[in-house]
Amino acid sequence: MDYKTDTICAISTPPGTAGIAVIRVSGPQAISAVDHIFQGKRPLKELSSHKVVYGRIVDKAEIIDEVCASIFRNPHSYTGEDVVEISCHGNTFIANRILELLLRKLRLAEPGEFTQRAFFNNKLDLTQVEAVGDLLQARTKKSHRAAMEQLQGSLHKKITALLERITALRIQFELEIDFPEQDNELTDQNELLQNFQEIGNDLSELAKTGDEGVILKEGLKICLVGAPNVGKSSIFNTFLDSERAIVTPEPGTTRDYLEEAISLNGYLIRIFDTAGIREAADQVEEMGIKKSYDIIRNSHKILFITDGKENQEELQNLMKIVDPQKIIKVLNKSDLFSATEITFL
Ligand SMILES: Nc1nc2c(ncn2[C@@H]2O[C@H](COP(=O)(O)OP(=O)(O)OP(=O)(O)O)[C@@H](O)[C@H]2O)c(=O)[nH]1
Ligand SMILES: [Mg+2]
């Protein structure tokens, strides 16, 4: 796969008002293109790498902004190319004006193109590229730490070590196949088999951490399910510590599902309050219940809420569509009956 080697630019900070905004330029013309609109003590082309200089961005006689320009010469930059980062005042209008000036000579970067260049220039491998995306999206302590470790190369090191072990094992197997009649001192068949099993186990362990990584990234999805009026929305509100869902004594209050996120011990938890699973009274409710089924199927854990009344039918229905191990039974409204009356648990 090839990539374009022209010079690209883009605003790297989100739109809106802030202390600063950053415009990033990368490619062979990065320094000369910025020099064209930048007035500092000295032109950027005279500076060595990793310097930050103060100056003005100008459009002919008009001063657009006072800025700092950071210069990173190839290969010692994020992309591995010449990079200039212009830090201007954090105003979308100003940042756009500077970008427009650069776009007279350069091309607007596509989403992720700076990181793509870092990959093609061997500054990052694929696991690290993924980590950059995760780092930008991380919303909790745990997901932040996982992304940071991956960016530092932890996953890359594990995969490389496993690949080396697989290659060594393959060579030993090939030796055994090619020269079976020779009593090869190097290959002990039991040891080969043991190595093979160990690698298999380590691969399974690594695959498991992948599933955990998805949960860290996207959050653990927990869905509240149960018959009408058992208190699903009340529990949802308790988790959130807010009156997010409408709670009434009327059965069938929640018609569409609600989703909110909380952070629990550093983990991102996505909680869904559903319309529950029951016979629909009308079309709106039918649609809400259909969505509930989709959410139930995609959840990691299902809190099956009951108020102590007979609920075997709902539980059976639920077990038809999800792995029973995902279901956690929750008894609500325990204030309304004594322990001896509880048949559910
Ligand atoms: N006594 C008592 N009442 C509760 C408890 N939890 C909820 N309720 C009441 O039960 C009624 C129904 O609560 P909701 O949270 O709306 O129940 P739901 O399961 O979301 O109901 P639908 O959305 O209609 O399916 C409300 O009047 C709540 O105040 C509880 O622990 N004890
Ligand atoms: Mg409800």
Side-chain angles (χ1 to χ4, degrees):
M1 195 175 162
D2 206 6
Y3 83 97
K4 301 183 193 107
T5 51
D6 55 350
T7 302
I8 51 173
C9 57
I11 300 171
S12 296
T13 40
T17 308
I20 56 166
V22 175
I23 298 124
R24 199 191 249 169
V25 189
S26 178
Q29 273 90 49
I31 295 169
S32 60
V34 178
D35 259 339
H36 204 70
I37 58 169
F38 179 80
Q39 284 180 348
K41 254 188 179 170
R42 285 157 60 192
L44 298 177
K45 67 170 189 267
E46 291 177 12
L47 300 175
S48 55
S49 188
H50 292 70
K51 289 275 182 305
V52 183
V53 288
Y54 168 80
R56 297 190 297 208
I57 297 290
V58 292
D59 181 13
K60 299 188 186 94
E62 185 189 1
I63 299 170
I64 307 295
D65 198 9
E66 295 182 350
V67 303
C68 283
S70 311
I71 177 165
F72 307 90
R73 289 188 180 271
N74 91 75
H76 306 293
S77 70
Y78 178 68
T79 59
E81 305 173 326
D82 281 347
V83 168
V84 180
E85 286 182 1
I86 303 169
S87 304
C88 65
H89 287 97
N91 170 330
T92 308
F93 173 75
I94 294 173
N96 279 335
R97 285 280 319 259
I98 298 172
L99 186 69
E100 276 166 22
L101 292 179
L102 290 167
L103 287 173
R104 289 180 189 166
K105 285 183 177 294
L106 310 178
R107 174 171 68 80
L108 186 65
E110 286 162 23
E113 201 173 356
F114 291 99
T115 304
Q116 186 196 45
R117 289 184 173 203
F119 170 71
F120 281 118
N121 288 321
N122 296 323
K123 300 299 274 186
L124 300 172
D125 72 5
L126 266 186
T127 64
Q128 289 168 316
V129 168
E130 188 190 28
V132 172
D134 293 350
L135 200 60
L136 297 182
Q137 298 295 331
R139 286 194 273 169
T140 63
K141 227 177 175 178
K142 294 256 189 235
S143 54
H144 167 245
R145 188 185 301 160
M148 205 59 224
E149 280 174 8
Q150 190 163 323
L151 185 62
Q152 300 294 307
S154 62
L155 182 59
H156 172 72
K157 275 184 214 141
K158 279 185 200 153
I159 290 174
T160 312
L162 267 166
L163 271 177
E164 279 168 10
R165 283 167 61 197
I166 291 169
T167 309
L169 192 66
R170 200 198 69 208
I171 292 168
Q172 283 181 304
F173 267 114
E174 282 174 358
L175 206 65
E176 193 68 14
I177 293 164
D178 290 344
F179 308 103
E181 66 287 352
Q182 289 184 17
D183 188 17
N184 201 324
E185 284 174 16
L186 288 173
T187 48
D188 170 345
Q189 288 197 357
N190 286 335
E191 201 184 306
L192 277 188
L193 202 63
Q194 199 187 336
N195 280 348
F196 188 72
Q197 276 164 350
E198 276 173 14
I199 290 176
N201 291 344
D202 289 353
L203 277 171
S204 306
E205 283 301 311
L206 193 64
K208 261 194 231 156
T209 65
D211 293 342
E212 284 164 18
V214 172
I215 290 177
L216 275 182
K217 226 188 313 183
E218 295 174 8
L220 185 82
K221 292 184 211 154
I222 298 182
C223 156
L224 303 171
V225 182
N229 212 38
V230 290
K232 300 179 293 295
S233 300
S234 305
I235 293 176
F236 182 71
N237 287 346
T238 306
F239 272 125
L240 301 176
D241 199 17
S242 95
E243 297 305 308
R244 171 71 181 86
I246 297 171
V247 168
T248 76
E250 277 309 302
T253 303
T254 309
R255 287 158 76 91
D256 200 353
Y257 77 91
L258 296 171
E259 177 189 354
E260 287 296 334
I262 54 169
S263 168
L264 203 63
N265 292 336
Y267 286 98
L268 176 67
I269 312 283
R270 288 166 62 189
I271 308 180
F272 296 84
D273 181 18
T274 66
I277 36 175
R278 58 174 180 262
E279 286 292 312
D282 57 43
Q283 207 186 347
V284 177
E285 195 161 74
E286 191 181 316
M287 290 169 82
I289 292 169
K290 191 177 167 301
K291 280 192 200 169
S292 297
Y293 275 106
D294 292 339
I295 289 162
I296 291 166
R297 280 192 200 94
N298 288 318
S299 291
H300 297 104
K301 288 282 171 202
I302 289 115
L303 299 191
F304 178 68
I305 321 286
T306 173
D307 55 3
K309 297 199 187 106
E310 179 53 44
N311 53 51
Q312 280 310 312
E313 201 182 322
E314 284 112 11
L315 190 57
Q316 293 305 323
N317 284 342
L318 187 61
M319 291 206 293
K320 278 184 205 152
I321 58 165
V322 289
D323 173 0
Q325 284 193 331
K326 287 187 179 176
I327 302 171
I328 299 170
K329 296 175 192 170
V330 177
L331 179 66
N332 193 35
K333 304 195 186 181
S334 58
D335 53 307
L336 296 184
F337 41 84
S338 66
T340 49
E341 291 175 79
I342 302 168
T343 55
F344 167 65
L345 300 174

